[in-house]
Amino acid sequence: MIRSTLRRLAQAGLTALAASLLVWAMLPLAPGDPAYRILKSQAPEHEPYPAEIAELRADMGLDRPLPVQYLAWLGRVVQGDLGTSWRTGQPVSDEIARRLPATLSLLGLALVVSVSVALLLALISAAFRDRWPDKIIRAYAQIGAALPTFLFGLLALQYVVVGAGVGKVLSGGALGMALLPALIIGVDRAAGWTQLLRASLIDAMNSGYAHMSRARGSRPWRTLLIHALPNAALPFLTAIGVSVGALLGGSPIIEDLFTWPGLGSYTLSALAARDFPVIQAFVLVSALLYVAASLAIDLAAIAIDPRLREARA
Amino acid sequence: MTPILDCRNLTVAYGPAPTVSDVSFALKAGECLALVGASGSGKSTIARAVLGLHGPSTRVSGRIGLSGHDLRATGEVTLSGLRGRLVGYVAQDPYAACDPLRTVGHHVGEAWRSRGMNPAPGEVVERLRMVGIDNAPHFASKAPHCWSGGMLQRACIAAASAHAPPLMVADEPTSALDPRRGDEILTTLRAGRLCHSSLISHHVDLVRRHADRVAILHEGRLVDDFPVSRLDDSHRHAVTRRLTRTATRWVSKEARAPGEVLLTARNVTRSYAGTGRTIGPFSFRVRAGAAIGLSGSSGSGKSTILRMIAGLDAPDEGQIDLAPALRRRGAIMPVFQNPAASLNPFWPIWRTISEPASASKRIRTADRKALARRLLGQVGLERVDIEARPDEVSLGQCQRIAIARAIAANPLLLVADEPTSALDTVARAQVADLLAALVRDGMALAIASHDPWIHDRLNAEVVSVH
């Protein structure tokens, strides 16, 4: 158990390092001279002089070898320095620190909602397989999985907020305000998971151990909860881990839709202005959160499944 | 005296055609009845019906009387109360029957907890000890994959007999195990205090030693029912005679000139990481037109040696030399233990069979079908539809299809891992005959089996693995 956990931790560290290399490489690999692009984005009207460009190149250390540049950048990132915004000249880390909690509370709440909804619906669906509760839930899952989140969000805003007058179109970022957007994102996200978990649960209910459990007098609900759910949880957990990345990647659109003052909407405005350090920081934060989520999921899987605890040669 | 189990005109249908039709039999207290038949004859369907476990989409008719209860007239809630108390169940594959995420101690304890009770402290360990598990406290806290098949099957018996049910249903309880373990399991199952009557469905040779009465099933019908002492009577039903004969018939050994040496293994050893266990050293030669048989009980390392022969695994010490002819792709082809699992369930069988031939070059569909038809003829299945899917043919036929797929690659050496252990006696004999014919035609064969019968049938040079 300890060995496989340590191995998984080391893998996560390597993945994070590789991600940082890719994120950093966005700057030197992008076409054109970075110094020129910075000056251009700060003053779009003004064509920079060669002397200005040379000065900035020396300032930023762009004339040093690439590995040295990377290590210097990594060293600054580890100390929490993500560079300064080309647009505002303010440190990017400060802005991220201010906005990250709002994003995390929205996505966290959405995650809680979607996991709970998927869990409940999939269990009901598997328990009443091919009867009417199952049919209704399957219809929801099918439609929900096919609809893009932003479309579902727009429809929800139109009919729930504007139409029924529940909640607000403009939100302030407090946890209480997060409930409605989180519900919309969560219910949408839960559709695909419900399908997945239902299929895994039904597979598990058809397995030898589930038959054995029934053959010795266990009621169906008990077999479902004691045996089928833990076994079906493994693919479900993996799907959740992958979705954390998708949620973060989709946060610019979602936050813009709900005018949520989080990381996503900040990045969206940076994208429009080609504010490179901000985009870079967003990608880095997303990648690290994704690695952390995958690590948490893998450790949970190791805790659930004794077969994963054995050291493989 | 009322029988423990009384089935009258039992008919079970999954689809339009019944799988079991009009089967009647009764079981007295203390009696052990063996249901014998080829795979697909309806044994497991009857076992499920006796447990009342058929789903709503399955049509069951007739009467199933269990200790005075009419199962067909009993609601699901009462029925769950009867299961485990009036009838215990032991499944074919103990690993599939245990939840892989939980300890075996939990599995045995579920016998109480699923009925809303708690096992008395030490009860689980005591039950495991009763079925002959040494060091039971240690093993009870281990997950099923840490147990050997024989031990785990005994733990399953301990779980099934927790409430001393008067009837025990065991569905092929030994077919996943080697014959010696099989004897131990059936002895445990019938051991005095555990249960009064049992219904087992099993191979003829074990039935002969353990059952009191034999009922022969053929295509869903009960064709014969007699005391076990009359098993070898010459006037028995034709199906009975075929089942008993294939279990005991031997082929005469014919002398053959040994062919070219294809593979030489010298002092090969292999250890298992984390266990400190080492197998070997082994030295043997594989010749064209001859079979080499690896024998030994489950878990002895037979599969590891086969993997090394096939080049999937490297030996720790010693070396394995291949003749140049064996180095081409497809020269060594595998045949697996579970034929159903080794065929793609979504592919028609012509596609599966011709896959090796089309791996390196494109072949027209018509040619692939012709090839599949020719190879099916070679394995004695000319009457099987090449458009059929694996679930439409029997398990024995699946294994012959898997062999047809292997020979589609024109191999010089077949590597077969327990190719017959999942099969019933009739299919087992057919597959063994097919392999013997291939060897006679010059194929080299490396086969792992715990069954001495098949080594003998193939005239194999036997290497014992411990």
Side-chain angles (χ1 to χ4, degrees):
Chain A
M1 173 112 189
I2 294 165
R3 268 184 62 181
S4 42
T5 307
L6 286 178
R7 191 169 54 236
R8 200 56 204 83
L9 279 170
Q11 281 171 358
L14 280 177
T15 313
L17 204 63
S20 78
L21 183 62
L22 285 174
V23 168
W24 166 80
M26 287 162 68
L27 190 62
L29 288 184
D33 184 352
Y36 174 82
R37 278 185 283 130
I38 293 172
L39 292 170
K40 194 74 182 158
S41 77
Q42 282 169 348
E45 310 301 318
H46 164 71
E47 189 62 30
Y49 302 117
E52 278 181 314
I53 297 175
E55 192 190 347
L56 188 61
R57 285 180 65 89
D59 257 12
M60 291 177 64
L62 290 175
D63 41 7
R64 288 181 295 169
L66 285 177
V68 177
Q69 287 188 41
Y70 168 65
L71 288 178
W73 174 82
L74 191 63
R76 287 198 301 275
V77 166
V78 169
Q79 290 165 33
D81 176 8
L82 293 164
T84 47
S85 162
W86 292 352
R87 255 186 320 165
T88 62
Q90 297 297 310
V92 176
S93 338
D94 292 358
E95 190 74 2
I96 287 187
R98 211 156 49 74
R99 285 170 172 264
L100 193 59
T103 295
L104 287 185
S105 63
L106 175 64
L107 296 188
L109 204 55
L111 205 61
V112 170
V113 169
S114 49
V115 170
S116 327
V117 169
L119 203 59
L120 189 69
L121 293 186
L123 281 171
I124 294 174
S125 214
F128 294 95
R129 188 183 171 188
D130 292 331
R131 307 226 291 276
W132 66 264
D134 181 32
K135 285 178 182 160
I136 293 174
I137 290 168
R138 266 155 66 191
Y140 147 74
Q142 203 102 58
I143 295 167
L147 271 183
T149 304
F150 73 89
L151 186 61
F152 189 75
L154 273 179
L155 292 173
L157 273 182
Q158 179 65 37
Y159 291 106
V160 179
V161 181
V162 180
V166 180
K168 287 185 178 140
V169 180
L170 287 166
S171 38
L175 194 60
M177 294 277 196
L179 197 58
L180 184 76
L183 263 177
I184 294 171
I185 304 168
V187 167
D188 177 64
R189 175 87 14 202
W193 292 354
T194 306
Q195 284 182 320
L196 178 85
L197 186 57
R198 173 187 178 272
S200 306
L201 282 172
I202 284 173
D203 267 359
M205 285 302 275
N206 283 330
S207 68
Y209 53 86
H211 282 306
M212 180 52 83
S213 167
R214 302 268 289 113
R216 58 158 65 143
S218 193
R219 301 277 177 79
W221 267 105
R222 189 184 156 81
T223 305
L224 191 67
L225 291 175
I226 298 276
H227 294 295
L229 187 58
N231 278 282
L234 291 172
F236 183 54
L237 279 176
T238 310
I240 292 175
V242 173
S243 279
V244 168
L247 270 176
L248 269 170
S251 66
I253 297 172
I254 295 167
E255 290 183 3
D256 189 53
L257 190 68
F258 296 108
T259 60
W260 190 255
L263 204 53
S265 51
Y266 177 52
T267 308
L268 199 64
S269 59
L271 270 171
R274 298 182 202 286
D275 191 350
F276 197 82
V278 175
I279 301 167
Q280 200 178 33
F282 174 74
V283 176
L284 187 66
V285 168
S286 308
L288 292 183
L289 279 175
Y290 183 61
V291 169
S294 306
L295 179 67
I297 297 293
D298 281 354
L299 293 182
I302 290 174
I304 291 177
D305 192 340
R307 290 166 298 184
L308 298 176
R309 279 174 227 152
E310 319 272 285
R312 292 266 150 69
Chain B
M1 185 173 152
T2 52
I4 295 288
L5 176 66
D6 188 17
C7 283
R8 291 276 150 252
N9 310 103
L10 178 65
T11 298
V12 185
Y14 297 110
T19 305
V20 166
S21 37
D22 206 19
V23 165
S24 301
F25 63 91
L27 195 54
K28 294 200 297 279
E31 192 180 34
C32 175
L33 171 71
L35 285 173
V36 176
S39 48
S41 58
K43 302 184 300 258
S44 302
T45 302
I46 294 179
R48 284 182 70 85
V50 169
L51 290 158
L53 276 179
H54 281 299
S57 57
T58 310
R59 295 191 314 282
V60 183
S61 65
R63 184 180 186 281
I64 308 168
L66 179 65
S67 303
H69 296 266
D70 181 1
L71 288 196
R72 295 238 307 110
T74 309
E76 178 55 39
V77 174
T78 322
L79 213 52
S80 350
L82 299 182
R83 293 186 201 122
R85 196 161 56 81
L86 290 187
V87 52
Y89 175 59
V90 177
Q92 177 170 11
D93 180 356
Y95 292 104
C98 292
D99 188 335
L101 305 184
R102 300 188 183 271
T103 64
V104 177
H106 180 275
H107 178 72
V108 178
E110 271 295 290
W112 285 271
R113 282 189 298 272
S114 63
R115 325 186 64 77
M117 299 184 265
N118 263 320
E123 179 84 42
V124 167
V125 167
E126 184 50 38
R127 295 293 178 131
L128 287 174
R129 205 170 277 137
M130 271 168 64
V131 292
I133 306 290
D134 302 327
N135 200 359
H138 167 75
F139 277 108
S141 64
K142 293 282 177 203
H145 70 274
C146 302
W147 287 56
S148 77
M151 277 168 61
L152 194 58
Q153 191 63 298
R154 276 184 278 166
C156 288
I157 294 176
S161 53
H163 305 290
L167 172 70
M168 188 74 92
V169 175
D171 186 0
E172 305 272 9
T174 64
S175 67
L177 310 170
D178 61 72
R180 195 162 50 83
R181 298 266 144 66
D183 262 336
E184 289 169 17
I185 291 299
L186 290 182
T187 309
T188 312
L189 194 60
R190 293 218 63 195
R193 292 175 306 281
L194 288 179
C195 61
H196 306 305
S197 316
S198 27
L199 173 76
I200 60 170
S201 47
H202 209 62
H203 290 168
V204 176
D205 24 3
L206 283 166
V207 161
R208 200 188 298 275
R209 288 198 289 280
H210 295 279
D212 303 315
R213 228 175 80 219
V214 182
I216 304 284
L217 272 173
H218 180 61
E219 291 174 358
R221 287 175 186 280
L222 204 60
V223 293
D224 215 352
D225 185 346
F226 51 88
V228 74
S229 56
R230 315 273 294 277
L231 191 61
D232 295 311
D233 285 5
S234 54
H235 57 269
R236 290 256 71 92
H237 193 280
V239 176
T240 314
R241 290 209 308 274
R242 202 167 71 222
L243 284 165
T244 49
R245 200 179 54 229
T246 47
T248 48
R249 193 180 64 189
W250 306 82
V251 282
S252 63
K253 298 192 177 190
E254 48 203 280
R256 266 193 315 256
E260 170 204 2
V261 175
L262 292 175
L263 180 146
T264 313
R266 288 192 200 88
N267 299 318
V268 166
T269 64
R270 182 81 169 85
S271 61
Y272 295 87
T275 61
R277 212 164 70 82
T278 308
I279 54 166
F282 297 105
S283 297
F284 52 83
R285 282 194 290 196
V286 180
R287 288 170 182 277
I292 181 146
L294 304 168
S295 79
S297 52
S298 332
S300 58
K302 299 189 296 286
S303 303
T304 309
I305 298 176
L306 283 189
R307 289 177 60 80
M308 291 194 287
I309 291 177
L312 298 171
D313 214 344
D316 287 343
E317 283 166 41
Q319 65 186 97
I320 294 179
D321 291 325
L322 298 183
L326 275 190
R327 300 211 180 106
R328 116 181 116 77
R329 254 176 26 153
I332 305 178
M333 287 296 284
V335 176
F336 299 99
Q337 174 169 15
N338 186 342
S342 79
L343 304 180
N344 186 334
F346 301 106
W347 281 11
I349 57 178
W350 66 263
R351 203 167 157 198
T352 296
I353 293 171
S354 58
E355 194 192 8
S358 67
S360 49
K361 57 177 187 288
R362 280 198 59 81
I363 306 180
R364 284 189 312 136
T365 302
D367 291 341
R368 287 183 66 168
K369 288 186 177 177
L371 175 70
R373 218 170 267 125
R374 188 168 60 73
L375 289 168
L376 275 181
Q378 233 173 308
V379 298
L381 292 177
E382 40 295 269
R383 279 185 306 174
V384 168
D385 181 9
I386 59 163
E387 300 289 347
R389 277 165 227 280
D391 61 350
E392 296 165 42
V393 299
S394 75
L395 209 58
Q397 288 173 333
C398 278
Q399 191 60 295
R400 284 194 276 169
I401 289 166
I403 293 171
R405 169 177 59 183
I407 58 182
N410 288 320
L412 300 170
L413 168 61
L414 281 187
V415 177
D417 192 358
E418 300 280 3
T420 56
S421 65
L423 308 178
D424 63 69
T425 47
V426 177
R428 185 173 67 140
Q430 285 165 338
V431 168
D433 285 346
L434 170 61
L435 289 173
L438 290 172
V439 169
R440 248 193 325 274
D441 293 343
M443 183 91 72
L445 174 68
I447 180 170
S449 178
H450 55 239
D451 187 354
W453 173 87
I454 187 151
H455 294 311
D456 213 78
R457 187 99 169 198
L458 290 166
N459 211 355
E461 179 193 334
V462 176
V463 176
S464 353
V465 185
H466 297 294

